[in-house]
Amino acid sequence: DAKHLVPNKMRDFFCTINLDQEEVFRTQVVEKSLSPYFGEEFYFEIPRTFQWLSFYIYDKSVLQKDLRIGKVSIKKEDLCNYTGKENWFMLQPVDSNSEVQGKVHLELKLNELITDNGSVCQQLVVHIKECHGLPLINGQNCDPYATVSLVGPSRNDQKKTKVKKKTSNPQFNETFYFEVTRSSSYTKKSQFQVEEEDIEKLEVRVDLWNNGNLVQDVFLGEIKVPVKVLKNDSFQAWFLLQPRENGNKSSKTDDLGSLRLNICYTEDCVLPSEYYASLRNLLLKSSDVQPISASAAYILSEVCRDKYDAVLPLVRLLLHHHKLVPFVAAVAELDLKDTQEANTIFRGNSLATRCVDEMMKIVGKHYLKVTLKPVIDEICESPKPCEIDPIKLREGDNVEINMENLRYYVDKVFREIVRSSISCPTLMCDVFYSLRHLAAKRFPNDPHVQYSAVSSFVFLRFFAVAVVSPHTFHLRPHHPDAQTSRTLTLISKAIQTLGSWGSLTKSKLSSFKETFMCEFFKTFQEEKFTESVKKFLDDVSSTESKEPSGVSEPVHLKEGEMYKRAQGRTRIGKKNFKKRWFCLTTREFTYHKQQDKEPIFTIPIKNILAVEKLDESSFNKKNMFQVLHGEKPLYIQANNCVEASEWIEALCRVTRCNQKRLSFYHPSAFLNGSWLCCKATMENTEGCARCTADVPADTQIEIDGDRETERIYSLFIINRSKLQKLEEACGSIAVYQGPRKEPDDYSNFTIEDSVATFHTLQQIIDIIEKLNESHEKYQKKRSSSAKYGSE
């Protein structure tokens, strides 16, 4: 959220997340506020190198360009200082001189020259090779050029490269020569020697600019290298472009407001698989350890400050190795020991509930889409007024009609859910089966508890959450507007309540905080709702195999707006780029003129031969990829690097088991009679580069087990001191079995069996110390090979 934004009047604000200057996400617009609450969460893989993670606050404008109010920029190296906790950041002014990204490749050399009269002078050679990752200017590739200067107290010799048109990765390959020191007599000094007083004060400065033609040139970044570091050597390196030294200082001293962020940034160095064997095996044995609180996986959740940090990699690793169901059953049983009342079952944020939540997010993506997407689309695209709170009713609204509309939507969503058990993934059913029987065993005298154990997850934590935030669960590509969001909130409340019926003995009406919801639910007290919920919960917590009836419907995987290059299927068709709506299902990949229109072009999934990135040099456009199928390649441009990466991953995942996948492809396009990459003149020539994914793989859930184990190792290393405290605690309990009167450092830990826990802790500490040695060796080797000026 943000507060005290300028200008000091109610405006409509939104916030964007940027990698350097590339926008990768934006929030919904919060209307009429000076302290907007966004409350949104984005989790994304970073597909490229970057310098800054930035957040911009915009004032939304209907007629003019959206106005940037201010920004928060955090350097990549500083992200670790803010990770895992909330921080308020003061907004900084947006200044074009501080908005930089990209890098420049330089070769610098000091030469010794002997003049005609026999004296020695020194010459600096600057070879500017290329730049990479320059920003887009007004959404288009820039027209960059560079100025190269030798700067000192009394000199500023400047030279300039040629302008390169429409590219963010210009190849300059130009060399410039500068005289460094005064000539000295060659006979006087037998060896070349630099005059220290001159060299100390000189520096090479390279400035990148966008050629503005008729308007002012735009500064893109600069680098400075002191000449003294050359020490008669030559070297080349990539340098990250920097803002001007006064770039982020502004004449404005006004307070622009502040932004509250909770950032969790992780960067893992994954070693070869054999390094993780011991830790992986110890974690995978967790479900067999008695008691479960003495297992490595449980100890991980105990020592992490936020259980969520532990849950994400743990669930993915156990899922990958088919060990999740017994582990969830074991931690759920431990959870139930502390549950005193049946109606509070699985309501807290314990390790068990978080593991099930994360499992449902990973495994249930397709299930959600096939169940809810059609009805969510209908609600968002042809919304009916559904407000039933008398305080929030607009002028002219009829509460009876609104209640009928809401009832229609709730009925439809409810019907889709209770009919969906056939689509529920087997793994979810297996987990629900375990939870149901554990609950019945814990509360044998309560016939409803076995249902509430399952409904507390599938209704409250799965369907109801997805209804209220469809964007987060990829059910909708864009945020719903304020009125639709309110409708979805009311539907979500209703679904939570309906899901609880039949599993609780007392009527839910008395538990409603709002009177209007009470009135609304009086129309629902029918036996059929209770029976439908009961039958659905029976079905999804059964281990019997489910046979789908008839032909299964294609699962909707991803959709969104992108640009595609015309394929020239008609003789007069121009090969320009057009905005289209793309849709991917398990059966086909299509594009449409607009969302919800009939497809213009369809590629059956089985016909896709490869999906690969496309070199920017092909069309001077960033974030491009190609879909190779029976006809000519389909060239597509995504809106940003994260989106491009997600589309490639989704398309690869669904096509990797195709029979005729290619092993080689062309990384560039076929233009003007030849392939730009290999210069071959035949359009049907075999590719010149090996495909990145030519081996069939599992299309369901792809998890990198080594990466998840590395993440767990990192968490253990961060919390090494807690592991040692826990080890000390186990030792003292084993020695002194008397009552512990005073609270101590380990009173928050669960220690059921001090001997078993102590044994596991010893193994964990031993394993992570060995892994730590391997990491240190790698980092040492890496740092010794890094050059001055490199990234």
Side-chain angles (χ1 to χ4, degrees):
D1 57 347
K3 64 183 180 185
H4 310 317
L5 299 180
V6 296
N8 296 318
K9 54 183 177 179
M10 296 299 206
R11 303 302 287 264
D12 301 341
F13 293 106
F14 65 92
C15 181
T16 67
I17 303 179
N18 295 48
L19 288 174
D20 297 320
Q21 288 181 64
E22 182 181 15
E23 182 186 317
V24 292
F25 287 111
R26 71 167 55 190
T27 67
Q28 61 191 342
V29 176
V30 177
E31 298 176 344
K32 303 288 179 287
S33 175
L34 277 177
S35 296
Y37 178 77
F38 301 107
E40 296 191 42
E41 188 173 288
F42 296 109
Y43 171 85
F44 63 101
E45 300 284 332
I46 298 176
R48 63 171 178 82
T49 57
F50 72 103
Q51 289 176 259
W52 299 85
L53 180 68
S54 301
F55 303 82
Y56 290 83
I57 293 281
Y58 283 83
D59 179 357
K60 180 75 178 167
S61 175
V62 179
L63 301 174
Q64 298 173 323
K65 190 177 175 184
D66 297 332
L67 177 67
R68 286 196 290 193
I69 298 295
K71 68 172 181 177
V72 171
S73 287
I74 304 170
K75 211 166 188 177
K76 180 184 172 184
E77 295 77 42
D78 298 333
L79 281 170
C80 57
N81 300 331
Y82 303 105
T83 193
K85 50 185 183 280
E86 286 186 357
N87 291 279
W88 279 101
F89 296 88
M90 296 299 292
L91 288 174
Q92 301 299 317
V94 179
D95 176 348
S96 61
N97 286 334
S98 67
E99 302 286 288
V100 302
Q101 70 177 58
K103 56 188 178 180
V104 59
H105 193 186
L106 286 186
E107 184 175 10
L108 302 167
K109 191 175 181 182
L110 269 175
N111 280 343
E112 169 187 345
L113 291 182
I114 303 169
T115 60
D116 293 339
N117 63 7
S119 62
V120 174
C121 69
Q122 300 150 301
Q123 184 187 56
L124 174 69
V125 184
V126 180
H127 179 191
I128 178 163
K129 296 189 169 187
E130 59 182 318
C131 290
H132 187 80
L134 298 179
L136 301 177
I137 302 292
N138 298 325
Q140 300 294 320
N141 277 321
C142 52
D143 296 338
Y145 70 89
T147 58
V148 182
S149 312
L150 183 64
V151 182
S154 57
R155 65 192 291 180
N156 187 353
D157 304 341
Q158 188 179 91
K159 305 186 180 190
K160 179 179 165 184
T161 68
K162 292 174 183 170
V163 175
K164 300 294 176 180
K165 292 285 185 183
K166 299 284 176 274
T167 177
S168 295
N169 301 322
Q171 304 276 335
F172 291 113
N173 278 321
E174 294 190 40
T175 305
F176 301 101
Y177 300 91
F178 298 91
E179 185 183 301
V180 177
T181 59
R182 296 184 298 275
S183 300
S184 56
S185 167
Y186 186 66
T187 52
K188 209 169 178 183
K189 293 186 179 177
S190 58
Q191 288 194 359
F192 173 64
Q193 193 174 9
V194 175
E195 289 189 17
E196 292 298 325
E197 66 275 13
D198 285 350
I199 216 98
E200 284 292 329
K201 298 167 187 173
L202 291 178
E203 65 180 10
V204 180
R205 196 174 80 204
V206 178
D207 293 78
L208 267 294
W209 298 86
N210 177 57
N211 183 35
N213 291 324
L214 300 175
V215 295
Q216 191 176 356
D217 292 354
V218 177
F219 175 76
L220 301 178
E222 69 178 14
I223 61 149
K224 294 178 179 179
V225 183
V227 174
K228 65 182 178 184
V229 302
L230 298 179
K231 294 179 182 171
N232 305 351
D233 291 331
S234 74
F235 76 93
Q236 55 178 312
W238 282 97
F239 293 84
L240 292 170
L241 288 169
Q242 302 297 324
R244 281 193 177 146
E245 282 183 358
N246 63 346
N248 44 19
K249 293 174 189 170
S250 171
S251 56
K252 290 183 182 176
T253 54
D254 300 345
D255 183 359
L256 299 174
S258 50
L259 182 66
R260 182 167 55 152
L261 303 168
N262 190 338
I263 300 165
C264 184
Y265 172 74
T266 57
E267 185 177 313
D268 297 319
C269 162
V270 185
L271 300 173
S273 191
E274 59 268 20
Y275 285 86
Y276 300 108
S278 301
L279 181 57
R280 183 169 55 240
N281 293 337
L282 188 63
L283 290 160
L284 294 178
K285 284 192 295 189
S286 291
S287 53
D288 302 324
V289 175
Q290 293 291 337
I292 190 68
S293 60
S295 68
Y298 194 91
I299 288 169
L300 175 70
S301 73
E302 286 283 274
V303 297
C304 286
R305 188 178 65 173
D306 185 348
K307 272 191 172 58
Y308 182 76
D309 292 342
V311 164
L312 186 60
L314 190 56
V315 166
R316 291 170 72 87
L317 181 70
L318 295 173
L319 200 55
H320 184 62
H321 292 280
H322 311 291
K323 294 280 188 182
L324 184 64
V325 178
F327 179 73
V328 167
V331 291
E333 192 169 12
L334 185 63
D335 210 11
L336 286 169
K337 280 184 187 176
D338 296 329
T339 306
Q340 301 306 317
E341 293 183 34
N343 62 356
T344 62
I345 193 166
F346 299 130
R347 291 298 172 94
N349 269 331
S350 64
L351 177 61
T353 57
R354 289 198 167 196
C355 282
V356 178
D357 284 351
E358 201 53 47
M359 177 275 296
M360 292 191 297
K361 278 184 197 169
I362 297 168
V363 176
K365 272 184 192 172
H366 296 174
Y367 176 36
L368 271 181
K369 281 185 174 172
V370 82
T371 306
L372 289 182
K373 182 163 175 47
V375 65
I376 296 286
D377 284 345
E378 181 190 335
I379 294 165
C380 293
E381 285 154 23
S382 51
K384 300 175 181 179
C386 294
E387 185 55 74
I388 57 172
D389 182 351
I391 299 169
K392 294 187 178 181
L393 283 173
R394 295 183 181 181
E395 196 175 333
D397 275 0
N398 184 314
V399 74
E400 281 77 21
I401 292 173
N402 288 7
M403 202 174 277
E404 279 178 31
N405 292 339
L406 182 59
R407 176 66 195 256
Y408 166 77
Y409 283 147
V410 169
D411 276 342
K412 198 157 188 177
V413 172
F414 178 80
R415 193 164 60 247
E416 291 300 326
I417 291 172
V418 294
R419 288 198 323 211
S420 72
S421 58
I422 197 84
S423 309
C424 187
T426 310
L427 190 93
M428 283 174 67
C429 294
D430 290 345
V431 169
F432 295 152
Y433 176 81
S434 295
L435 298 177
R436 177 179 175 174
H437 285 273
L438 286 168
K441 184 178 158 190
R442 172 71 178 85
F443 297 102
N445 300 323
D446 189 329
H448 300 289
V449 74
Q450 57 177 312
Y451 294 110
S452 58
V454 179
S455 70
S456 64
F457 287 107
V458 75
F459 277 100
L460 271 66
R461 293 171 174 262
F462 187 59
F463 284 120
V465 179
V467 167
V468 84
S469 54
H471 178 74
T472 308
F473 287 83
H474 305 291
L475 297 175
R476 293 287 298 170
H478 305 298
H479 293 285
D481 58 48
Q483 185 181 328
T484 310
S485 288
R486 174 64 179 161
T487 299
L488 293 171
T489 301
L490 292 170
I491 296 168
S492 177
K493 285 185 179 194
I495 292 302
Q496 288 182 51
T497 307
L498 288 172
S500 300
W501 280 6
S503 52
L504 293 176
T505 49
K506 61 180 182 179
S507 165
K508 284 295 290 180
L509 289 178
S510 59
S511 66
F512 274 118
K513 292 175 187 171
E514 305 103 334
T515 316
F516 61 87
M517 287 301 283
C518 229
E519 291 300 312
F520 177 61
F521 263 95
K522 283 179 181 172
T523 64
F524 276 88
Q525 294 191 50
E526 300 168 25
E527 190 71 26
K528 67 174 186 179
F529 284 102
T530 309
E531 285 305 309
S532 298
V533 169
K534 185 174 179 296
K535 183 180 182 307
F536 170 73
L537 295 173
D538 275 329
D539 289 345
V540 295
S541 57
S542 162
T543 55
E544 294 172 18
S545 63
K546 307 186 294 296
E547 289 298 325
S549 54
V551 182
S552 62
E553 285 295 305
V555 177
H556 193 101
L557 300 175
K558 191 168 175 61
E559 65 178 349
E561 218 168 47
M562 293 188 288
Y563 292 84
K564 64 100 194 172
R565 185 179 186 245
Q567 298 177 82
R569 294 196 305 278
T570 60
R571 283 193 174 184
I572 56 169
K574 284 186 177 180
K575 291 192 176 181
N576 54 353
F577 280 81
K578 294 178 180 174
K579 189 187 285 188
R580 293 289 180 256
W581 186 265
F582 286 81
C583 185
L584 174 66
T585 71
T586 46
R587 198 174 289 168
E588 59 194 20
F589 181 49
T590 57
Y591 62 76
H592 317 240
K593 267 198 172 174
Q594 291 174 333
Q595 190 180 359
D596 303 322
K597 299 288 185 187
E598 287 299 306
I600 305 172
F601 189 66
T602 300
I603 307 173
I605 292 300
K606 63 177 192 240
N607 291 357
I608 294 179
L609 308 176
V611 182
E612 298 288 347
K613 289 182 179 177
L614 186 71
D615 283 354
E616 186 188 320
S617 57
S618 300
F619 302 105
N620 284 331
K621 290 182 183 292
K622 285 176 174 284
N623 307 318
M624 287 205 68
F625 63 96
Q626 52 184 319
V627 179
L628 307 172
H629 56 109
E631 299 179 32
K632 296 178 179 181
L634 174 60
Y635 297 130
I636 302 170
Q637 183 187 26
N639 293 310
N640 58 63
C641 63
V642 172
E643 200 177 282
S645 176
E646 287 176 353
W647 271 105
I648 293 169
E649 185 189 354
L651 282 158
C652 283
R653 192 186 309 132
V654 81
T655 59
R656 276 184 182 165
C657 290
N658 286 358
Q659 294 294 314
K660 297 178 182 178
R661 280 194 65 90
L662 295 176
S663 294
F664 292 89
Y665 78 107
H666 290 284
S668 288
F670 185 81
L671 294 174
N672 303 323
S674 70
W675 290 100
L676 296 180
C677 40
C678 59
K679 309 305 178 193
T681 53
M682 297 289 289
E683 197 166 358
N684 58 358
T685 306
E686 188 184 28
C688 56
R690 180 169 282 282
C691 287
T692 52
D694 59 342
V695 182
D698 178 18
T699 60
Q700 294 303 309
I701 302 164
E702 288 185 355
I703 293 170
D704 184 340
D706 293 336
R707 183 176 174 182
E708 303 306 334
T709 316
E710 166 63 30
R711 186 90 292 277
I712 291 169
Y713 151 76
S714 300
L715 292 168
F716 275 136
I717 280 290
I718 292 165
N719 295 288
R720 190 164 18 184
S721 61
K722 286 187 184 175
L723 288 172
Q724 287 160 349
K725 276 185 184 175
L726 192 51
E727 191 182 31
E728 289 165 17
C730 290
S732 65
I733 292 168
V735 173
Y736 174 64
Q737 294 290 347
R740 282 181 280 163
K741 295 173 184 174
E742 296 293 322
D744 44 44
D745 283 342
Y746 51 84
S747 57
N748 294 327
F749 294 130
T750 302
I751 304 174
E752 288 183 278
D753 184 327
S754 57
V755 176
T757 308
F758 184 82
H759 178 64
T760 306
L761 283 161
Q762 279 189 315
Q763 290 177 282
I764 293 169
I765 291 167
D766 184 49
I767 288 167
I768 65 167
E769 282 177 355
K770 283 178 182 168
L771 257 174
N772 198 37
E773 284 174 21
S774 302
H775 276 83
E776 283 175 354
K777 278 181 188 172
Y778 170 78
Q779 292 296 352
K780 196 172 179 183
K781 184 180 173 185
R782 187 182 177 194
S783 61
S784 66
S785 63
K787 286 183 179 177
Y788 175 84
S790 68
E791 296 163 273

